[in-house]
Amino acid sequence: MEKQYYHLSGSGYPSHRRHHRRRRRRSRFPLPLRITLILLILLALVLMIGKLRRGKSADSLPSAHGEETLGEGNPQSSDGTPESSIPDETTPSQPSEEQLLSEAELKFAQYDYDAAIALVNSNPELAAKEAGASLIRRCEEIKPTLVRQDISQITHVFFHTLIIDTAKAFDNDSRQNGYNDVMTTKSEFEKMMLEMYNRGYVLVRIHDIAHEIDDPEQGGKKMVEGDILLPEGKKAFVLSQDDVNYYEYMDGDGFAKDITIGADGKPTTEMVTEDGSVVTGSFDMVPILNDFLKEHPDFSYRGAKGIIAVTGYNGVFGYRTDPSYEGTNPNIEADRQKVRDVAQCLRDDGWELASHSWGHRNYGKISMEELREDNEKWQERVGSLIGGTDILIYPFGADIADWHPYKADNERFQYLWGSGFRYFCNVDSSPYFVQMGKDFLRMGRRNLDGYRMWQDMTVKNRTADLFNASDIFDSARPTPVPGYTGG
Ligand SMILES: [Zn+2]
């Protein structure tokens, strides 16, 4: 007997401020005086706006004459004619040559050579200088040497919430074995990323591997391979993180408490310290990877980050937003708004968001009716806040079918596809499992956790293509690592 407890706007974004056009009244002054007054006011406005524009960067410039426009970014009045002789303040001011060059260098580092060239050429003075011209030359030199990635050989690695304080996670309580099995410590994660970087791995989006296009022959849409172009020796990989919910049971065990938005406008995390105060910093994968990318921007293909997969029963990103918290979480509405804002912040920063089911259910085993109910809950209680998704990360890695391509008569596939999912991820320990169907992409993911590393070191090494597990394994872990207890 689940009820809709709350009303949500579908988009999750605050509605734009509406501006109403101010009508000019007839003046009591005689005509010549009126013209002089109007001219003086216009002059004052032009001067004021000029001053405002000089003080602001291009991307943060709001509509300076908001009262005279009907919507942001619309410099004209409702009938399409220019409102007055005031210059168009919505035209962004030009970025400096230095800014342009550093943006273009970042595009170059992240393998987007055409965008780098276009940026330099957008300023003819920069293009004429040696700094600009040599960047364009470097782009033109490397472009013909790029190698198109074979999408069938792209590996996908995944993590859970990273352990920040190993003393708290491994303190002999009942949760210790679970953490030891399925979690990865901060130092292990950093060592893994560095070693993968050194071996030429480059992060791509799952949407870079394949995407939907219109299918004029059969109607509807179809999946097509993406063109991922990287220099010789580089290898694409996908990264994801499951259960980014900061579950209640993890409280006090050495993990972050939530994802928030940092002072720089980028996603970061909060953690509770010994004395109970809350500090902001790099306490989980999102900010830790971002820190790494600041030092190594060429670890990301065109700004790609990872996939963040969330359930719903304990709320999202550490905020207790589920309707079951009505009455116990007094900040529930503010927290829901926070989740919307954090989700948008993550997307703007290059992260992709995914469903990991609402109740961490086994979609391969539960009844069709339960599956439907669970997905509806995720859509209503989570998707409505974070903006929906076409990526499904199966809990426990439990797929809805064996390794053969999904068949159209598979009821579960039909239902999930109808609900908007196109990318389906299970767990598979082989280096890559990529299956592109006519209308879906399916990927196996490798758990890079304590159990995997311990197995690599003692039984069978399955991650030799990524790193040496013994160089990574955190000495703070109790051994032996007991055995897989879930995903
Ligand atoms: Zn999970």
Side-chain angles (χ1 to χ4, degrees), residues 160 242-243 356 360 395 487:
H160 285 98
D242 294 7
D243 300 279
H356 193 47
H360 209 277

Side-chain angles (χ1 to χ4, degrees), residues 32-95:
L33 188 57
R34 238 154 65 196
I35 291 170
T36 314
L37 270 173
I38 289 168
L39 283 174
L40 275 172
I41 290 166
L42 283 177
L43 184 68
L45 271 173
V46 167
L47 284 172
M48 265 171 57
I49 286 155
K51 203 169 178 183
L52 268 177
R53 289 182 62 183
R54 279 193 298 278
K56 295 198 174 177
S57 70
D59 53 359
S60 68
L61 188 74
S63 167
H65 65 337
E67 285 188 337
E68 293 191 359
T69 62
L70 284 171
E72 270 151 353
N74 176 4
Q76 299 196 325
S77 66
S78 57
D79 57 6
T81 53
E83 185 74 12
S84 70
S85 59
I86 297 172
D88 178 7
E89 299 83 10
T90 55
T91 305
S93 60
Q94 292 299 314

Side-chain angles (χ1 to χ4, degrees), residues 102-140:
S102 82
E103 272 177 55
E105 287 285 0
L106 182 63
K107 295 284 181 199
F108 177 86
Q110 300 195 325
Y111 317 99
D112 199 349
Y113 306 105
D114 288 336
I117 294 169
L119 272 175
V120 173
N121 282 334
S122 73
N123 184 327
E125 283 170 40
L126 175 61
K129 286 186 179 145
E130 178 51 24
S134 81
L135 180 54
I136 291 180
R137 267 199 313 275
R138 278 189 286 147
C139 290
E140 297 294 5

Side-chain angles (χ1 to χ4, degrees), residues 121-323:
N121 282 334
S122 73
N123 184 327
E125 283 170 40
L126 175 61
K129 286 186 179 145
E130 178 51 24
S134 81
L135 180 54
I136 291 180
R137 267 199 313 275
R138 278 189 286 147
C139 290
E140 297 294 5
E141 270 165 28
I142 204 164
K143 276 176 63 180
T145 71
L146 296 175
V147 181
R148 185 174 185 270
Q149 296 288 295
D150 177 352
I151 69 153
S152 71
Q153 293 189 13
I154 294 179
T155 200
H156 184 156
V157 301
F158 83 97
F159 298 89
H160 285 98
T161 310
L162 300 181
I163 297 170
I164 302 303
D165 188 337
T166 50
K168 287 203 169 80
F170 305 128
D171 60 352
N172 282 310
D173 71 5
S174 63
R175 299 282 177 189
Q176 170 176 298
N177 286 346
Y179 297 148
N180 202 2
D181 281 344
V182 305
M183 263 83 163
T184 309
T185 70
K186 177 180 176 172
S187 86
E188 288 171 343
F189 177 78
E190 287 175 330
K191 285 179 188 169
M192 286 174 185
M193 292 301 109
L194 182 60
E195 183 58 18
M196 288 178 69
Y197 172 76
N198 288 336
R199 293 189 186 195
Y201 282 95
V202 176
L203 247 175
V204 300
R205 292 177 184 83
I206 201 167
H207 285 86
D208 291 327
I209 295 177
H211 58 274
E212 282 188 303
I213 59 164
D214 290 327
D215 182 6
E217 280 163 34
Q218 297 189 35
K221 302 210 177 245
K222 63 176 178 185
M223 221 20 124
V224 292
E225 286 189 15
D227 296 312
I228 301 172
L229 299 171
L230 286 170
E232 187 91 45
K234 296 284 185 187
K235 282 171 278 190
F237 82 103
V238 177
L239 170 73
S240 54
Q241 189 179 31
D242 294 7
D243 300 279
V244 189
N245 298 81
Y246 308 100
Y247 294 129
E248 285 178 359
Y249 77 80
M250 294 159 66
D251 204 15
D253 280 346
F255 300 93
K257 80 181 264 284
D258 57 42
I259 301 185
T260 188
I261 301 172
D264 60 355
K266 301 285 180 197
T268 184
T269 44
E270 291 183 304
M271 195 164 170
V272 181
T273 61
E274 208 61 60
D275 65 7
S277 60
V278 174
V279 287
T280 304
S282 298
F283 305 124
D284 202 2
M285 197 180 93
V286 166
I288 292 170
L289 186 81
N290 276 347
D291 292 344
F292 185 81
L293 286 171
K294 263 182 213 150
E295 302 288 314
H296 310 93
D298 53 333
F299 193 45
S300 165
Y301 178 72
R302 306 187 181 187
K305 304 280 172 78
I307 302 167
I308 300 297
V310 290
T311 62
Y313 64 98
N314 270 182
V316 188
F317 306 143
Y319 301 94
R320 306 303 172 215
T321 50
D322 191 73

